[in-house]
Amino acid sequence: MLQRDAYKELEDTIGPENVSEEQALLDGYAWQPSFSSSPKEKLDIWLWRPRPEAVVLPGSTEDVQAILKVCNRYKIKFKAMSTGWGAWNSPGTEGVIQIDLRRMNKILEINEENMYALIEPYVVGAQLQAEAMKKGLTPHIIGAGANTSVLASSTSMQGYGGTGISTSMSGRNVLGVEWVMPNGDILKLGAPGSNAG
């Protein structure tokens, strides 16, 4: 359980409706049924990851920065996740808060002329594809499916899929990212970092 001062500060930072220590909710983040192929005697090791101490749901880059500053002030470990597929999105140890980016799910811009999209981290392939197709465009959809985060699959270089022949693979499609560093600073890479628009 988090220190009460730290929990209160997280509530004050992003709103009490976006922070939870509810045990049933935390169990939902710890349960990983995709790893249920292990032998019966080892099943619990794979089905249950360490339960987060709390879950926070930021709604903006500024929220993420504020959360990380609270975590640093109280020396709380944290783990961010996007669409949450697989155990590697869960905390690997005890004493970690889960930063779930699900509220950051907006397509901010689709530039038809220059064929790029500006998205938040929880935008999934199906969502981007539906909006891009309205403009006669199509994004790359990774083999894991259209329900996975476009940004997570792109920045991890794991974005192989059937559309790669015509759209290239995800890692080659990222023009830039705005990344919140562990200390709360913003790092802009690629086009955003050039300040050229």
Side-chain angles (χ1 to χ4, degrees):
M1 182 176 261
L2 290 179
Q3 297 175 42
R4 292 302 82 199
D5 291 347
Y7 190 85
K8 177 74 170 103
E9 202 166 328
L10 287 169
E11 285 185 320
D12 292 345
T13 299
I14 61 170
E17 69 280 6
N18 297 310
V19 183
S20 181
E21 290 179 313
E22 175 62 43
Q23 293 302 301
L25 180 85
L26 300 181
D27 279 348
Y29 284 87
W31 174 251
Q32 292 295 332
S34 60
F35 289 89
S36 62
S37 60
S38 295
K40 183 72 173 151
E41 63 273 4
K42 295 183 181 178
L43 199 57
D44 282 349
I45 294 170
W46 291 102
L47 285 178
W48 292 95
R49 303 301 298 155
R51 178 190 285 142
E53 295 295 313
V55 173
V56 295
L57 288 88
S60 66
T61 302
E62 294 75 24
D63 283 353
V64 174
Q65 285 183 286
I67 291 165
L68 296 190
K69 288 178 181 176
V70 171
C71 288
N72 286 318
R73 195 166 25 262
Y74 289 94
K75 299 188 181 343
I76 302 167
K77 295 182 279 184
F78 53 87
K79 176 79 180 267
M81 65 174 279
S82 188
T83 49
W85 190 76
W88 41 88
N89 288 292
S90 303
T93 63
E94 303 292 332
V96 178
I97 67 166
Q98 184 84 64
I99 302 173
D100 186 342
L101 302 172
R102 74 178 57 236
R103 290 180 56 219
M104 298 176 69
N105 63 353
K106 295 172 203 67
I107 299 170
L108 303 173
E109 177 186 0
I110 295 179
N111 186 305
E112 194 172 351
E113 180 182 352
N114 295 307
M115 296 189 292
Y116 72 81
L118 182 60
I119 62 169
E120 291 182 332
Y122 209 87
V123 170
V124 297
Q127 179 185 359
L128 180 58
Q129 186 173 37
E131 294 304 313
M133 289 178 93
K134 293 175 185 175
K135 299 179 180 291
L137 302 171
T138 188
H140 174 63
I141 303 296
I142 68 167
N147 62 330
T148 57
S149 166
V150 175
L151 183 61
S153 64
S154 298
T155 58
S156 69
M157 306 299 182
Q158 297 299 318
Y160 300 105
T163 61
I165 293 171
S166 60
T167 62
S168 191
M169 302 304 178
S170 291
R172 299 190 73 173
N173 285 317
V174 178
L175 300 176
V177 294
E178 183 178 83
W179 214 266
V180 181
M181 300 299 289
N183 67 358
D185 290 346
I186 298 285
L187 174 65
K188 293 182 179 184
L189 300 171
S194 71
N195 295 318

